Amino acid sequence: MSPRQSEARAADPAAAARRGRGARTPATQRPPKIGFVSLGCPKALVDSERILTHLRAEGYEIAPTYEAADVVVVNTCGFIDAAVDESLEAIGEALEQNGRVIVTGCLGAKPQRILERHPRVLKVTGPHAYEDVLSAVHEHLPPRHDPFLDLVPPQGVRLTPRHYAYLKIAEGCNNRCSFCIIPAMRGRLVSRRIDDVLREAERLASAGVKELLVISQDTSAYGADLRYARGEWRGVSYQTRFLELARALSELPVWVRLHYVYPYPHVDAVIPLMAEGRLLPYLDIPFQHASPAVLRRMRRPAHAEDTLARIRAWRHICPGLTLRSTFIVGFPGETEDEFAELLAWLDEAELDRVGCFRYSPVEGAAANALPDHVPPPLQEERYARFMERAAAISARRLAARVGQRVRVIVDEVSDEVATARSAAEAPQIDGIVRIVRDADKGSAGSRTGEKNARWLSAGEKNSARSHAKDTNAASLNAGEKNSGGLRAGQKNSAWLSAGEGNSAWLRAGQWADVEIVGADAYDLTGRLVEAV
Ligand code: SF4
């Protein structure tokens, strides 16, 4: 909407009154339309999908723009101050552009913070309070349900491209990391029963999903709250437990990727499944630091484990294992020796993908009370040193992949270039495998570090993108990655069209075999060998 239109709308007292209070009945008998803004981590994205699925089932349509929406729901993130600011800005934008806004999500746990700045919001509901959001929508925009017209696909409404999906197995967390307020916002661990999770996974796979990303706050703790209750799936009884879930998911003909896994001893048991090719050989483990003293101050789960020994053992069993992690530098009290310990650990661990965050205080976190906060310039210096070291390791490990033939899944396709990922790259947070059409013609960068003119610009753009992503993540906080503020119906529709677009040589969601012909610090370039 242009500023002019905004003024016109603000000057219309009837419209302002409609926006400001009570239910708005759509002027025609068209279905009521919801605009949706989803911010925060993949777990919040799954919450958004769940809310949208309910709303679609009730006959609401999803509006692609603020203009087209009768009411806008903003699913917020409140993890750290930067995320709070982004959420407050998004609410402000929705109010300005549409005027009728319902707020939910993590920041909803602090309604006063929202209402102080935006008193005009219609309603504030808290994290994973699905019923409350739905009631608020019903109150301000009643549904017009027509069971013959309102069809929801069996896999529900998803905000990811159709070939991958997040599978949320639990909510909340029983840990008490001193820098984190998620347990206060989202409560203690509540696992979904294994049969429920497996049925959802099966539905997704039947709907064409080819990659499942298993998420929760602490995936390795899955089922502890249910005392590992049993559930039946496909005639077999399984315990609600990390390893059994991994085993059962490996029965499906999809890629299964594990996120937010902590290095508890029982995690060792999934590595053979990865070595056998039943799960993707990929572990996302938020180590956060390597100095035992810092980890103790962080109150990290598994802080006493010898993680280097564990990583060595894992790689021995599964040499192709990709390890990704996030770290915090400049945590209160971090000494130069403790930071040096982290760098030495990093050299030994040789992780494939690493994100880094400068410590930043979060309102309500226990770490705020710790002594000896590290001054920002020193945090900055350590961050730069850490990233330089991590980038060199990553570049080395990526260069070692040149010449390998790997299976990839294609995310987006244009006439000349396709963006894909192998088992070693998770969507949104890792690098990519760029496939150049007809890479054989000309000198398509067949040696490490060499980029031919055709993909140099794409390479630069993508490196910049990866770097920007790290920088963005760095302003947030450890363990939680921001999905970049997905606006449902905007970025999502771009994904959908990418998925639907078919440039004949490849299509989104397709598997392909490629030969890796080039690498930089973040991304790989591949030559298409065969579309599968
Ligand atoms: S950082 Fe993760 S494991 Fe620690 S309390 Fe927060 S959600 Fe739980």
Side-chain angles (χ1 to χ4, degrees):
M1 184 192 290
S2 68
R4 221 187 153 82
Q5 284 171 303
S6 304
E7 279 163 30
R9 182 177 269 199
D12 174 357
R18 281 199 306 277
R19 285 198 303 278
R21 61 174 188 273
R24 178 200 285 179
T25 306
T28 63
Q29 280 313 297
R30 67 168 171 77
K33 291 193 172 183
I34 293 287
F36 210 98
V37 178
S38 183
L39 303 166
C41 62
K43 286 150 277 193
L45 191 70
V46 173
D47 291 345
S48 297
E49 291 174 342
R50 210 173 278 179
I51 296 165
L52 284 170
T53 298
H54 274 279
L55 291 172
R56 283 291 288 125
E58 291 175 345
Y60 290 88
E61 281 189 3
I62 312 303
T65 61
Y66 289 120
E67 270 282 80
D70 297 307
V71 164
V72 177
V73 176
V74 182
N75 189 8
T76 56
C77 176
F79 189 54
I80 59 161
D81 292 350
V84 170
D85 288 346
E86 190 191 6
S87 293
L88 289 171
E89 270 169 32
I91 296 166
E93 182 183 295
L95 279 169
E96 193 186 307
Q97 299 287 320
N98 181 281
R100 307 186 78 238
V101 176
I102 292 166
V103 178
T104 187
C106 284
L107 189 56
K110 298 176 187 162
Q112 72 294 349
R113 188 110 190 239
I114 297 166
L115 293 168
E116 266 164 26
R117 177 125 155 229
H118 299 300
R120 283 200 301 136
V121 298
L122 300 175
K123 181 90 178 175
V124 178
T125 66
H128 59 100
Y130 306 113
E131 292 304 324
D132 294 352
V133 189
L134 297 176
S135 306
V137 173
H138 296 160
E139 183 189 341
H140 294 283
L141 184 68
R144 189 187 66 96
H145 184 56
D146 182 341
F148 294 104
L149 294 178
D150 305 329
L151 298 175
V152 177
Q155 75 278 18
V157 173
R158 292 192 296 107
L159 297 175
T160 47
R162 67 180 55 156
H163 58 279
Y164 70 79
Y166 293 103
L167 184 65
K168 188 167 172 177
I169 59 169
E171 185 54 81
C173 181
N174 287 347
N175 300 312
R176 290 291 177 270
C177 301
S178 59
F179 54 82
C180 177
I181 54 168
I182 284 194
M185 286 193 300
R186 297 199 155 225
R188 290 180 64 76
L189 176 74
V190 179
S191 303
R192 293 173 62 196
R193 280 177 59 105
I194 194 161
D195 44 343
D196 181 34
V197 173
L198 291 171
R199 275 195 300 271
E200 182 184 350
E202 195 169 28
R203 266 197 311 274
L204 289 166
S206 330
V209 165
K210 291 185 172 168
E211 179 177 359
L212 290 171
L213 302 115
V214 176
I215 56 166
S216 68
Q217 308 295 344
D218 177 359
T219 296
S220 20
Y222 174 60
D225 55 309
L226 296 179
R227 301 198 177 165
Y228 310 113
R230 285 195 167 273
E232 198 176 293
W233 180 64
R234 292 183 169 179
V236 178
S237 169
Y238 292 94
Q239 280 190 308
T240 301
R241 190 187 273 280
F242 174 66
L243 181 60
E244 301 227 354
L245 176 69
R247 269 205 196 110
L249 288 174
S250 75
E251 300 290 324
L252 294 170
V254 296
W255 279 4
V256 176
R257 195 183 290 280
L258 301 177
H259 288 277
Y260 310 106
V261 176
Y262 289 93
Y264 300 118
H266 71 270
V267 170
D268 297 357
V270 297
I271 308 296
L273 296 179
M274 295 179 176
E276 289 162 22
R278 294 172 60 187
L279 298 175
L280 289 184
Y282 179 100
L283 273 181
D284 173 9
I285 303 188
F287 286 111
Q288 311 302 17
H289 214 280
S291 152
V294 176
L295 288 169
R296 253 194 320 278
R297 290 202 293 281
M298 288 179 168
R299 296 194 211 143
R300 289 296 286 165
H303 67 265
E305 299 296 328
D306 181 349
T307 44
L308 280 178
R310 183 144 273 134
I311 289 170
R312 273 194 291 271
W314 291 343
R315 286 199 171 127
H316 181 69
I317 298 166
C318 183
L321 181 66
T322 294
L323 289 171
R324 120 159 305 269
S325 190
T326 48
F327 294 85
I328 300 176
V329 295
F331 188 75
E334 182 186 64
T335 62
E336 184 55 36
D337 282 353
E338 287 165 348
F339 179 66
E341 224 174 325
L342 170 60
L343 292 185
W345 184 95
L346 199 64
D347 284 340
E348 282 277 313
E350 289 236 299
L351 303 183
D352 300 87
R353 303 280 185 188
V354 164
C356 183
F357 306 82
R358 305 156 192 87
Y359 171 76
S360 80
V362 183
E363 195 185 317
N368 298 349
L370 289 172
D372 304 322
H373 280 236
V374 179
L378 188 53
Q379 282 191 330
E380 204 56 47
E381 190 225 307
R382 288 183 184 167
Y383 171 81
R385 283 162 65 197
F386 180 95
M387 286 311 286
E388 194 184 345
R389 192 77 66 103
I393 294 170
S394 170
R396 234 180 9 252
R397 291 188 69 82
L398 289 176
R401 291 174 60 191
V402 173
Q404 290 178 358
R405 180 173 164 154
V406 293
R407 170 76 41 103
V408 297
I409 190 159
V410 177
D411 282 333
E412 287 181 27
V413 185
S414 72
D415 285 345
E416 293 298 318
V417 181
T419 304
R421 293 172 294 103
S422 73
E425 289 90 30
Q428 303 288 317
I429 52 174
D430 294 332
I432 55 164
V433 179
R434 189 179 316 106
I435 309 171
V436 182
R437 191 175 193 180
D438 299 331
D440 285 337
K441 293 178 194 161
S443 55
S446 58
R447 270 167 292 169
T448 314
E450 268 189 22
K451 298 173 184 167
N452 78 4
R454 285 182 54 199
W455 55 268
L456 182 62
S457 54
E460 283 173 354
K461 187 161 153 258
N462 273 304
S463 298
R465 174 192 50 72
S466 300
H467 186 66
K469 194 161 39 187
D470 269 352
T471 311
N472 177 36
S475 70
L476 296 174
N477 211 330
E480 299 297 317
K481 282 138 278 190
N482 189 295
S483 66
L486 170 69
R487 263 68 167 168
Q490 290 176 10
K491 186 169 177 185
N492 184 38
S493 57
W495 269 334
L496 289 180
S497 50
E500 280 152 8
N502 180 353
S503 299
W505 68 291
L506 276 177
R507 53 172 209 287
Q510 183 174 24
W511 274 307
D513 288 336
V514 300
E515 182 197 348
I516 302 298
V517 295
D520 60 29
Y522 302 100
D523 300 327
L524 295 160
T525 298
R527 181 182 67 80
L528 180 64
V529 176
E530 190 178 10
V532 182

